[in-house]
Amino acid sequence: MTEFDPIVMIVDDDPSVRRSTERLIRSTGLNVRTFASAGEFLDHPRPAGPACLVLDVRMPGLSGMDLQRELTQAAVHIPIIFVTGHGDIPLTVRAMKAGAVEFLTKPFRSRSLLEAVHAAVERDRLAQKARSETEELRQRYEQLTPREREVMSLVVAGLLNKQVAGELATTERTIKFHRAHIMQKMRAESLAGLVRMAESLEISGPGGSHPR
């Protein structure tokens, strides 16, 4: 997986708040992009590397909560830190339930924002790494033949070669042959490793459900 520099995106309709927040975050060495509205943010593609969004709640047009909903519906994964001068408990609960990583009420300590930003960026880095690894596993799985997928689902379910052969009405020798190919194509060094791969791909049961 190619490593990209992390970036923090700030969406706030107040120019002075954007500037001061940008200066604060840049002081830690992070890259920053600023946007005056949710609409302006949506016009730009999501960064390739780890990122987080520092988002004002109340803005003209699309609000911060509206933008959070738009991103969720579009399956755009990015940690959100809400900042607002009008925070209340129901709003905070709604934002956090929808996936926000932090909800800061103005005035907040600079340290609180920076801690939240660094935690969010690290969370996104790990999430991107996990998605990349799962996608790589999915591509390996797609290289298996239909029969190999059947064998794999039975093997990771705990069946012995003899039992798999019985289930598929074939010989144990044939199953050993398929199993060796599966281990090679999936780049699994052990049965335990193959089981972990199957869990990541959400493959379960005889026949193997197609990975999501």
Side-chain angles (χ1 to χ4, degrees):
M1 178 180 176
T2 304
E3 288 289 338
F4 294 91
D5 290 334
I7 188 163
V8 180
M9 293 168 289
I10 301 167
V11 182
D12 199 304
D13 63 310
D14 187 327
S16 63
V17 172
R18 286 201 308 275
R19 285 194 297 269
S20 61
T21 306
E22 179 180 9
R23 282 197 300 270
L24 174 64
I25 295 173
R26 282 193 187 279
S27 71
T28 67
L30 289 170
N31 295 320
V32 180
R33 288 184 196 166
T34 64
F35 306 90
S37 69
E40 183 182 331
F41 171 82
L42 288 172
D43 287 338
H44 288 74
R46 194 238 194 264
C52 78
L53 180 57
V54 179
L55 180 59
D56 190 21
V57 172
R58 296 176 186 261
M59 295 181 289
L62 281 177
S63 69
M65 299 292 287
D66 291 334
L67 177 56
Q68 183 186 36
R69 187 167 55 252
E70 292 261 347
L71 294 175
T72 299
Q73 291 174 349
V76 175
H77 306 284
I78 180 167
I80 296 175
I81 299 164
F82 277 111
V83 293
T84 181
H86 310 278
D88 57 37
I89 292 175
L91 190 65
T92 303
V93 170
R94 195 160 81 248
M96 300 301 278
K97 280 186 174 180
V101 298
E102 188 59 272
F103 197 104
L104 301 174
T105 303
K106 301 172 186 175
F108 50 80
R109 295 182 306 152
S110 297
R111 182 177 177 182
S112 296
L113 176 60
L114 293 178
E115 287 176 349
V117 163
H118 283 283
V121 167
E122 178 61 12
R123 170 173 163 170
D124 196 43
R125 186 188 70 78
L126 293 174
Q128 283 200 2
K129 183 173 183 287
R131 287 195 295 271
S132 176
E133 289 173 350
T134 300
E135 179 57 32
E136 186 178 334
L137 281 179
R138 187 175 289 109
Q139 289 174 5
R140 294 180 201 169
Y141 183 79
E142 293 295 336
Q143 293 176 357
L144 301 181
T145 65
R147 175 60 84 173
E148 286 170 346
R149 293 178 194 176
E150 286 183 309
V151 172
M152 178 174 167
S153 71
L154 294 168
V155 167
V156 299
L159 275 67
L160 301 174
N161 289 341
K162 184 176 180 180
Q163 294 171 314
V164 176
E167 287 284 336
L168 300 180
T170 187
T171 66
E172 187 174 351
R173 181 179 178 181
T174 299
I175 296 304
K176 288 180 179 178
F177 175 81
H178 285 312
R179 186 166 173 166
H181 273 249
I182 292 165
M183 299 294 282
Q184 182 180 34
K185 289 181 180 179
M186 294 300 294
R187 299 180 200 169
E189 296 181 358
S190 65
L191 176 57
L194 190 67
V195 170
R196 285 192 294 271
M197 291 176 182
E199 289 173 348
S200 295
L201 293 170
E202 299 182 15
I203 298 168
S204 60
S209 61
H210 196 74
R212 285 183 259 175

